[in-house]
């Protein structure tokens, strides 16, 4: 008979027991880990749903029946109501503050913000703006507490603010003032006041400038204003006026205009996107719902405001804080020391753009590179472990590696982070993964446009993969449309991205033509970006719809591609390619290189000034031959090669209106500028 001990001595039993113990242990470990799996709002394998029909419209898996959400809180359907909601939740708590040189934030409460805002709004009305008239008011300032006060002041009386910003330049600011019939512009610095005054004579509607900062209103600037016949007030004076002539609030309705946000394109004047309260509230609700339950917006959360308030991205960030009783710390105005401001504010969410996040990545990596091998090894082991966790869907900041390797880096961003948002441009997969590992919090990438209240898709919490911008937000629907000239087809899940929903704007201010280009008859907003649906319903941005001409014989021409090829020709400094759709060939206008053209001339035995050389047929042919050769080598098709060239002795500049501040050719303006030359090259049509 076997006794118990004999049984235990059997190898098979040992094996079974051993396997059981190990399995139990592994299961416990797995369950422990599972506690750290981030909650996702939807099944990550099916993040969006394709609706039946030819159009292949995609909607969030949260809204399969197109039951899109328009708002999050019944009592916050406008930005004004959202502010009141925050105030009701957290009235005496900090609302807005300024980062200071003392190393702390000077806060004021919701109730104080409201009092100031009413004074400001009443003051503006006393100065002639009609409440509820949707009158536009210009704000030309960096992010600062006063900006926030004006924002609340405007919405309390249904006034509409229009941000102006430096890169627009004085001419464009003046254009906007005219287009919006703006009578009051609020500025911070002497320089900005001066820039507005400089063009006052061509902005007849401008009557008043309000200076946010008393010390910036110098005697000289006062004189300048007087000469330009513009009244100037300090913020203090405005508030005194408001106090004396206090008005009851005139709150906006949900479909009233909230802001006009100007975006500068590569062609022509900037366009003012009109966004309603309902638009931005919908975008915020979509964002909030897509983040729930992993991330919630609750009172006392802090946001550091340094991305320009002239863009919708930052306006949305501010709204999200106000609506939930959170607080907004305004940076000191110098991006070079933004990290110090972040440390003071200790934000719970860090909203950023790739440019800055790349810098964080590079700085940390340089630091790691410079330390001793022990620290480097610990850092690398930490990264490896965190990467492995990410692949399992785990992202957290309380592992042993956080204590050993990442604590200091987390402290740089205030040590209080719950989430990082990135938008405006694609963030590289490397940097996303780096941030997720090192910070141990979700890094979410949003995608959208000013015209869709800045956000239409978001990578979901819990999805720690890269290379996609997430599914549509539950406030809108998205479809891709064919772009045959670039060989993208919706049936292959590729095409130009179009949005529709409560967050999509109503049109461009006084610009029905551009509105029609952006919004089609069925209210789809055409983005110009090319996207692709991934199998799990997320969107990937793969290209940009190019500037394309169709020639008479039906061939498509992408001028940017040809220009890039021709740019290696040393005889021209800049080149512009144009194709008329009634003709079968493309033409070029080249800004010649004064250093190299004379050499070609002397080789050909041609003499004369630069202007004369430009007009010389032999020289033109010389340059064109060189371009042809380069084009042929680069594989341009025959119809892509320019048939004629005009040589221009000057250059295309921002100053002569032929380039944008971002160094892109302004094609429409070039066409106007060279209308005579084009006519010579296209004798039959132009
Ligand atoms: C780290 O150092 C190596 C070799 O010294 C260098 O190749 C690498 O570019 C450095 N990385 C960073 C991020 O500075
Ligand atoms: C770690 O994450 C938690 C929860 O997301 C957050 O509240 C906390 O501030 C984070 N800690 C640091 C040091 O970032
Ligand atoms: C979604 O699909 C893409 C492409 O197939 C894949 O790389 C990614 O890992 C998937 N995401 C998730 C969360 O499974």
């Amino acid at each position: 008979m076997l006794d118990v001990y004999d049984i235990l001595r059997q190898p098979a039993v040992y094996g079974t027991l051993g396997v059981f113990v190990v399995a139990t242990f592994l299961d416990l470990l797995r369950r422990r880990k599972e506690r750290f799996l981030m909650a996702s709002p939807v099944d990550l394998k099916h993040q969006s749903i394709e609706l039946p029909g030819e159009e292949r419209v995609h909607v969030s898996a949260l809204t399969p029946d197109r039951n899109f959400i328009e708002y999050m809180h019944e009592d916050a359907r406008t930005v004004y109501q959202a502010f009141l909601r925050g105030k009701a939740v957290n009235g005496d708590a900090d609302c807005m503050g300024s980062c200071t040189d003392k190393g702390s934030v000077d806060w004021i409460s919701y109730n104080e913000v409201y009092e100031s805002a009413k004074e400001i709004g009443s003051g503006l009305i006393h100065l002639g703006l009609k409440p509820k008239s949707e009158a536009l008011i210009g704000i030309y300032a960096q992010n600062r507490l006063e900006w926030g006060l004006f924002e609340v002041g405007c919405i309390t009386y249904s006034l509409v603010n229009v941000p102006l910003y430096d890169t627009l330049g004085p001419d464009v600011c003046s254009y906007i003032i005219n287009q919006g019939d703006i009578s009051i512009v609020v500025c911070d610095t002497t320089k900005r006041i001066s820039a507005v005054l400089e063009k006052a004579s061509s902005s007849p509607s401008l009557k008043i400038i309000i200076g946010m900062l008393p010390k910036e209103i110098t005697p000289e600037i006062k004189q300048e204003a007087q000469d330009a016949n513009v009244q100037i007030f300090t913020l203090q004076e405005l508030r005194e006026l408001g106090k004396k002539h206090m008005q009851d609030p005139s709150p906006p309705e949900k479909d009233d205009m909230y802001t006009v946000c100007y975006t500068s394109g590569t062609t022509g004047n900037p366009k003012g996107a009109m966004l309603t309260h309902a638009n931005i509230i919908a975008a915020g609700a979509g964002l909030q719902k897509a983040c729930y339950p992993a991330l919630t917006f609750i009172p006392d959360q802090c946001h550091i405001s340094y991305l320009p308030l002239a863009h919708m991205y930052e306006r949305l960030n501010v709204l999200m804080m106000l609506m939930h009783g959170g607080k907004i710390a305004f940076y000191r105005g110098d991006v070079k020391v933004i990290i110090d401001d972040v440390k003071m504010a200790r934000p719970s969410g860090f909203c950023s753009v790739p440019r800055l996040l790349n810098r964080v990545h590079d700085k940390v990596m340089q630091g790691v590179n410079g330390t001793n091998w022990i620290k480097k090894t610990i850092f690398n082991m930490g990264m490896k472990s965190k990467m492995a966790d990410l692949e399992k869907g785990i992202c957290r900041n309380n592992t042993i590696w956080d204590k050993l390797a990442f604590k200091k880096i987390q402290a740089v961003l205030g040590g209080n982070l719950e989430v990082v948002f990135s938008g405006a441009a694609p963030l590289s997969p490397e940097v996303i993964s780096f941030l997720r590992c090192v910070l141990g919090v979700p890094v979410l990438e949003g995608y959208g446009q000013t015209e869709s209240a800045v956000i239409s898709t978001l990578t979901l919490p819990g999805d720690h993969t890269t290379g996609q911008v997430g599914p549509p937000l539950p406030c809108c629907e998205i479809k891709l449309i064919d772009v045959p000239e670039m060989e993208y087809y919706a049936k292959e899940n590729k095409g130009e991205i179009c949005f529709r929903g409560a967050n999509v704007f109503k049109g461009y201010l006084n610009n029905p033509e551009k509105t029609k280009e952006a919004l089609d008859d069925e209210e789809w907003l055409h983005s110009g970006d090319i996207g692709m649906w991934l199998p799990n319903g997320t969107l990937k941005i793969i290209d940009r719809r190019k500037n394309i001409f169709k020639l008479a014989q039906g061939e498509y021409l992408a001028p940017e591609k040809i220009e890039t090829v021709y740019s290696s020709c040393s005889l021209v400094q800049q080149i512009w390619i144009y194709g008329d759709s009634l003709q079968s060939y493309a033409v070029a206008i080249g800004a010649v290189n004064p250093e190299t053209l004379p050499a070609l001339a002397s080789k050909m035995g041609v003499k004369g000034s630069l202007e004369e050389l430009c007009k010389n047929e032999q020289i033109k042919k010389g340059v064109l031959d060189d371009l042809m050769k380069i084009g042929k080598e680069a594989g341009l098709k025959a119809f892509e090669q320019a048939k004629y060239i005009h040589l221009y002795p000057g250059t295309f500049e921002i100053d002569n209106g032929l380039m944008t501040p971002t160094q892109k050719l302004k094609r429409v303006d070039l066409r106007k500028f060279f209308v005579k030359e084009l006519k010579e090259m296209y004798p039959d049509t132009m």
Side-chain angles (χ1 to χ4, degrees):
M1 209 180 108
L2 288 168
D3 71 5
V4 166
Y5 296 101
D6 278 334
I7 295 176
L8 284 181
R9 255 179 243 123
Q10 299 294 319
V13 174
Y14 265 123
T16 314
L17 260 181
V19 167
F20 178 72
V21 169
V22 170
T24 312
F25 182 70
L26 286 180
D27 190 51
L28 279 176
L29 270 188
R30 183 183 58 79
R31 276 197 221 171
R32 199 182 129 68
K33 281 233 153 157
E34 257 175 18
R35 279 186 18 232
F36 298 112
L37 276 180
M38 182 154 289
S40 304
V42 297
D43 175 2
L44 295 178
K45 297 223 160 38
H46 307 280
Q47 302 190 27
S48 70
I49 289 171
E50 185 180 310
L51 300 178
E54 290 265 295
E55 289 194 291
R56 296 163 187 269
V57 175
H58 280 237
V59 298
S60 163
L62 290 165
T63 53
D65 307 321
R66 297 181 76 248
N67 46 339
F68 304 122
I69 59 167
E70 292 177 12
Y71 55 89
M72 209 61 201
H73 307 286
E74 187 66 52
D75 58 349
R77 306 281 310 261
T78 65
V79 182
Y80 177 63
Q81 289 173 348
F83 173 79
L84 289 188
R85 183 176 187 278
K87 182 165 116 29
V89 173
N90 222 5
D92 287 323
D94 298 338
C95 174
M96 293 182 190
S98 313
C99 293
T100 65
D101 295 336
K102 293 180 307 212
S104 58
V105 185
D106 272 349
W107 293 106
I108 61 173
S109 71
Y110 272 83
N111 291 327
E112 286 166 317
V113 167
Y114 193 45
E115 279 318 302
S116 311
K118 281 197 291 191
E119 286 169 14
I120 288 171
S122 300
L124 291 173
I125 286 162
H126 183 71
L127 290 180
L129 295 185
K130 281 210 189 65
K132 265 200 103 64
S133 62
E134 301 196 336
L136 307 190
I137 150 169
I139 300 194
Y140 189 6
Q142 67 168 65
N143 298 19
R144 56 173 70 247
L145 178 66
E146 293 80 2
W147 216 121
L149 299 179
F150 269 94
E151 164 89 339
V152 181
C154 285
I155 55 179
T156 306
Y157 298 91
S158 308
L159 304 174
V160 176
N161 69 39
V162 183
L164 303 174
Y165 46 98
D166 293 338
T167 48
L168 291 170
D171 285 322
V172 174
C173 285
S174 162
Y175 168 86
I176 292 172
I177 290 170
N178 287 333
Q179 194 181 44
D181 198 20
I182 291 173
S183 60
I184 300 182
V185 176
V186 187
C187 302
D188 54 356
T189 59
T190 314
K191 208 166 142 238
R192 294 194 174 113
I193 299 176
S194 201
V196 174
L197 285 175
E198 192 188 308
K199 297 283 165 190
S201 60
S202 48
S203 327
S205 60
L206 179 68
K207 300 286 183 304
I208 295 168
I209 286 182
I210 292 161
M212 287 178 172
L213 308 167
K215 71 172 191 323
E216 296 286 325
I217 304 180
T218 57
E220 293 80 36
I221 207 81
K222 276 191 175 154
Q223 187 60 49
E224 254 183 72
Q226 200 175 4
D227 295 345
N229 214 2
V230 170
Q231 274 184 292
I232 197 160
F233 293 89
T234 63
L235 174 56
Q236 202 45 43
E237 287 164 342
L238 179 74
R239 290 178 60 166
E240 291 298 331
L241 279 176
K243 226 185 270 183
K244 249 192 246 146
H245 306 276
M246 187 55 83
Q247 302 272 331
D248 288 333
S250 327
E253 307 295 327
K254 73 180 174 59
D255 291 319
D256 288 351
M257 217 190 318
Y258 161 61
T259 191
V260 179
C261 199
Y262 276 86
T263 55
S264 56
T266 51
T267 52
N269 279 312
K271 300 169 283 184
M274 297 186 286
L275 288 147
T276 64
H277 287 264
N279 289 149
I280 187 168
I281 290 287
L287 170 74
Q288 192 171 354
K289 184 134 192 201
C291 289
Y292 186 83
L295 293 168
T296 48
F297 292 85
I298 53 174
D300 302 320
Q301 282 174 331
C302 178
H303 164 71
I304 173 100
S305 178
Y306 68 94
L307 296 173
L309 277 164
H311 300 315
M312 287 310 292
Y313 183 7
E314 187 58 15
R315 301 285 285 280
L316 181 62
N317 297 336
V318 166
L319 166 71
M320 295 310 279
M321 287 295 120
L322 294 180
M323 182 153 53
H324 298 97
K327 51 192 180 178
I328 299 140
F330 292 96
Y331 82 136
R332 279 173 293 171
D334 183 356
V335 264
K336 286 201 285 301
V337 295
I338 178 69
I339 287 302
D340 295 328
D341 295 351
V342 170
K343 270 192 215 155
M344 285 179 220
R346 310 195 66 233
S348 33
F350 188 58
C351 301
S352 198
V353 290
R355 200 159 30 91
L356 195 71
L357 294 171
N358 291 343
R359 245 172 61 199
V360 171
H361 168 261
D362 296 345
K363 265 239 139 64
V364 169
M365 292 316 285
Q366 267 170 23
V368 170
N369 238 3
T371 60
N372 59 41
W373 68 271
I374 303 184
K375 284 193 181 154
K376 225 185 282 185
T377 309
I378 294 181
F379 180 88
N380 289 335
M381 285 169 70
M383 286 295 278
K384 224 170 163 177
S385 159
K386 289 282 209 92
M387 274 309 262
D389 271 0
L390 279 184
E391 269 157 34
K392 294 189 201 99
I394 293 166
C395 183
R396 59 189 182 118
N397 64 10
N398 53 1
T399 67
I400 181 83
W401 300 111
D402 291 285
K403 295 189 184 67
L404 290 176
F406 305 134
K407 211 167 157 182
K408 271 212 190 115
I409 306 167
Q410 291 165 3
V412 169
L413 291 180
N416 196 32
L417 275 192
E418 292 167 31
V419 62
V420 173
F421 285 103
S422 177
L427 186 58
S428 78
E430 185 193 349
V431 176
I432 298 186
S433 295
F434 162 86
L435 292 168
R436 283 174 181 158
C437 290
V438 165
L439 300 174
V441 296
V443 177
L444 308 182
E445 211 177 342
Y447 162 74
Q449 304 193 306
T450 299
E451 291 83 352
S452 66
V454 95
I455 186 163
S456 299
T457 75
L458 180 74
T459 55
L460 299 180
D463 186 344
H464 303 306
T465 64
T466 59
Q468 37 96 7
V469 292
L473 287 183
C475 60
C476 63
E477 52 193 334
I478 295 182
K479 70 171 179 182
L480 305 180
I481 58 169
D482 291 349
V483 187
E485 66 271 27
M486 296 175 79
E487 299 187 351
Y488 293 121
Y489 298 98
K491 65 175 191 296
E492 291 166 8
N493 282 321
K494 291 179 190 162
E496 182 182 3
I497 302 165
C498 300
F499 315 110
R500 186 164 69 180
N503 59 328
V504 171
F505 81 146
K506 296 290 167 277
Y508 298 110
L509 182 69
N510 299 335
N511 200 339
E513 199 181 309
K514 291 281 176 203
T515 301
K516 238 179 138 181
E517 278 174 28
L519 276 179
D520 66 21
D521 294 342
E522 291 175 329
E523 294 183 0
W524 286 102
L525 168 66
H526 295 236
S527 71
D529 293 319
I530 306 288
M532 168 185 170
W533 293 114
L534 298 182
N536 40 30
T538 55
L539 187 66
K540 182 184 173 92
I541 313 295
I542 52 173
D543 205 340
R544 173 89 196 147
R545 190 169 190 148
K546 306 258 166 32
N547 239 307
I548 278 180
F549 298 106
K550 194 172 182 183
L551 293 176
Q553 72 275 37
E555 307 268 24
Y556 289 104
L557 205 72
E560 277 137 341
K561 174 179 141 198
I562 303 168
E563 285 156 9
T564 309
V565 169
Y566 284 172
S567 67
S568 61
C569 169
S570 63
L571 297 169
V572 294
Q573 310 181 60
Q574 290 167 304
I575 192 143
W576 169 54
I577 297 292
Y578 178 73
D580 184 309
S581 60
L582 298 175
Q583 300 277 353
S584 58
Y585 58 90
V587 297
I589 292 196
V592 296
N593 185 343
E595 308 292 329
T596 53
L597 201 69
L600 176 77
S602 69
K603 215 164 73 188
M604 295 181 147
V606 181
K607 291 202 182 65
S609 66
L610 195 62
E611 281 76 12
E612 284 159 355
L613 294 184
C614 284
K615 292 204 185 95
N616 185 292
E617 290 303 324
Q618 223 182 320
I619 297 286
K620 277 194 204 173
K621 180 152 187 321
V623 175
L624 198 58
D625 285 347
D626 197 39
L627 291 175
M628 294 289 117
K629 198 169 119 246
I630 290 170
K632 202 161 176 193
E633 276 163 19
L636 290 187
K637 302 193 188 82
F639 70 86
E640 290 179 304
Q641 299 264 26
K643 187 158 177 194
Y644 298 106
I645 189 164
H646 168 75
L647 299 179
Y648 177 55
T651 49
F652 312 149
E653 299 282 350
I654 302 171
D655 284 345
N656 59 21
L658 301 178
M659 294 285 269
T660 68
T662 52
Q663 298 297 321
K664 296 203 186 83
L665 294 174
K666 293 179 95 171
R667 295 173 191 279
V668 171
D669 298 275
L670 279 160
R671 198 175 154 177
K672 281 187 207 140
F673 191 86
F674 289 111
V675 65
K676 194 173 121 271
E677 290 78 7
L678 291 174
K679 209 178 233 163
E680 286 166 11
M681 294 190 281
Y682 281 137
D684 307 337
T685 47
M686 308 227 8

